[in-house]
Amino acid sequence: STAVQASAALPGLFPPVEIQGRYYVDGALIKTLHASVALRDGAELVLCVNPLVPFDSELAERRDHKSRHSVNHLVEGGLPVVLSQTFRAIIHSRMKVGMDRYRHLHPGVDVVLFEPTRDDADMFFANVFSYSSRKKLCEHAYQRTRQDLYRRRHELAPILERHGISLNLAVLRDHERSLLTHEEGIPQGSTERALEIALEDLGHWLKQKRGA
């Protein structure tokens, strides 16, 4: 829809979208997190998810020499990659200021942030217009989130316990657990296939529009 298109309109990457005579861009340019809405309504635990983290290519190279992403310096990725990194740096910096402000204004509230690590190349270079890539990205995010929860278990356990929530460590340690397990060996249905084709066509069309 037009509203979704406007919500993803990052200047330099996508043009502003006109709606009823006014032009709109991605709201993240003004405010990254809107936790204040929940806090004003009396929320005692707010879980924030931020997927826009600046990418550290040197750190990624040191940790994963076999990564399929070979951009050692982001400038090699061209203008879209540089702009993406710039926006992420601005948004992330502003978000950290906002998080500190939330903690100061609402000292009795637990605000917990979840985000990718700075060396997560799969998240940074993901093609969100590819349906098949989305499934892989969901699986990747699921596995990384479980790893993050387990790594931060000593920090998160007492916070979550205050709100009647506990971490299932057996699930977090289960290396066989997967979002895609139930899809293995099951023929792809006609509806799913039609959706995949439509999204792939949309991806090709958007690439052509950007290249025009």
Side-chain angles (χ1 to χ4, degrees), residues 66-116:
K66 298 180 180 180
S67 174
R68 59 189 178 89
H69 301 288
S70 59
V71 179
N72 295 323
H73 301 285
L74 292 179
V75 292
E76 298 174 6
L79 183 60
V81 172
V82 173
L83 286 175
S84 177
Q85 177 77 338
T86 302
F87 284 126
R88 287 165 183 263
I90 294 173
I91 290 172
H92 196 257
S93 175
R94 190 173 59 203
M95 184 202 63
K96 291 179 65 177
V97 173
M99 290 288 290
D100 291 338
R101 185 168 180 269
Y102 292 145
R103 295 188 182 100
H104 175 72
L105 295 177
H106 305 274
V109 177
D110 291 313
V111 181
V112 183
L113 175 66
F114 296 94
E115 59 185 6

Side-chain angles (χ1 to χ4, degrees), residues 42-63:
E44 297 179 349
L45 172 64
V46 180
L47 304 180
C48 304
V49 178
N50 170 46
L52 300 177
V53 175
F55 180 61
D56 188 332
S57 58
E58 293 183 356
L59 179 61
E61 180 70 15
R62 289 197 301 269
R63 291 191 177 182

Side-chain angles (χ1 to χ4, degrees), residues 129 192-203:
F129 294 109
E192 182 182 1
R193 179 56 183 160
L195 177 60
E196 181 175 352
I197 293 174
L199 289 172
E200 293 291 353
D201 289 343
L202 175 61

Side-chain angles (χ1 to χ4, degrees), residues 13-14 125-130 133 199-212:
L13 296 177
F14 302 101
F125 292 101
N127 177 12
V128 296
F129 294 109
S130 169
S133 294
L199 289 172
E200 293 291 353
D201 289 343
L202 175 61
H204 293 314
W205 180 81
L206 288 171
K207 287 181 180 179
Q208 292 175 355
K209 292 288 288 185
R210 288 199 296 268

